[in-house]
């Protein structure tokens, strides 16, 4: 069955870095756009980043542009989210998500992603 497993979250000080990993199984990663969403307590879920099938097309939430970088390694069935210069407002549970349809483009709508990982907590605090 389709599985997405996130790892790499944790506690980091403001200005620090973390790299999240999303390891996929049960489907051919190369055929799907993969994204990252996050949700902080009391806030709505928001799309953070997405990478298209080609690995060239990417999407970033405005507030993370220049700080976060998404990449994929289809041979390792893994998508990464490198997060630099982290801020307290980046604190949230981060979810790896898969587009519903093969070879579809990235979007920022959660309804377009039908598989979600269990989430990994990222806490940015001094």
């Amino acid at each position: 069955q389709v599985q997405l497993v996130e790892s790499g979250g944790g506690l980091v000080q403001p200005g620090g870095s973390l790299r999240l990993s999303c390891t996929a199984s049960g489907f051919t990663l190369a055929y799907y756009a993969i994204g990252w969403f996050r949700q902080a307590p009391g806030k709505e879920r928001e799309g953070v980043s997405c990478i298209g099938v080609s690995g060239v097309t990417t999407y970033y939430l405005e507030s993370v542009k220049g700080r976060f970088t998404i990449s994929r390694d289809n041979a390792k069935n893994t998508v990464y989210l490198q997060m630099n210069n982290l801020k307290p407002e980046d604190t949230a549970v981060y979810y790896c998500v898969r587009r519903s349809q093969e070879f579809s483009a990235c979007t920022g709508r959660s309804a377009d992603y039908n598989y979600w990982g269990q989430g990994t907590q990222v806490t940015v605090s001094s």
Side-chain angles (χ1 to χ4, degrees):
Q1 70 277 22
V2 173
Q3 281 193 314
L4 299 167
V5 179
E6 304 95 336
S7 62
L11 173 64
V12 64
Q13 291 186 343
S17 297
L18 285 173
R19 188 177 79 158
L20 304 184
S21 298
C22 171
T23 302
S25 61
F27 66 99
T28 303
L29 181 68
Y31 294 173
Y32 291 88
I34 302 294
W36 290 91
F37 278 71
R38 69 185 181 188
Q39 187 162 25
K43 294 188 177 181
E44 290 189 359
R45 189 163 47 191
E46 60 183 357
V48 176
S49 184
C50 180
I51 186 165
V53 170
S54 68
V56 175
T57 303
T58 57
Y59 160 83
Y60 294 99
L61 184 68
E62 188 65 33
S63 62
V64 308
K65 284 182 180 178
R67 300 188 297 121
F68 290 11
T69 303
I70 192 169
S71 61
R72 63 192 300 156
D73 186 338
N74 292 333
K76 294 183 178 179
N77 291 321
T78 303
V79 173
Y80 304 98
L81 185 67
Q82 178 67 43
M83 305 186 296
N84 297 329
N85 190 22
L86 283 160
K87 303 177 180 181
E89 51 263 41
D90 294 318
T91 296
V93 178
Y94 284 70
Y95 298 92
C96 176
V97 298
R98 195 201 81 174
R99 270 302 308 260
S100 303
Q101 294 182 324
E102 294 179 348
F103 305 109
S104 295
C106 289
T107 76
R109 295 187 300 270
S110 60
D112 289 336
Y113 300 85
N114 63 341
Y115 285 99
W116 293 64
Q118 82 287 353
T120 185
Q121 177 70 47
V122 171
T123 302
V124 185
S125 175
S126 55

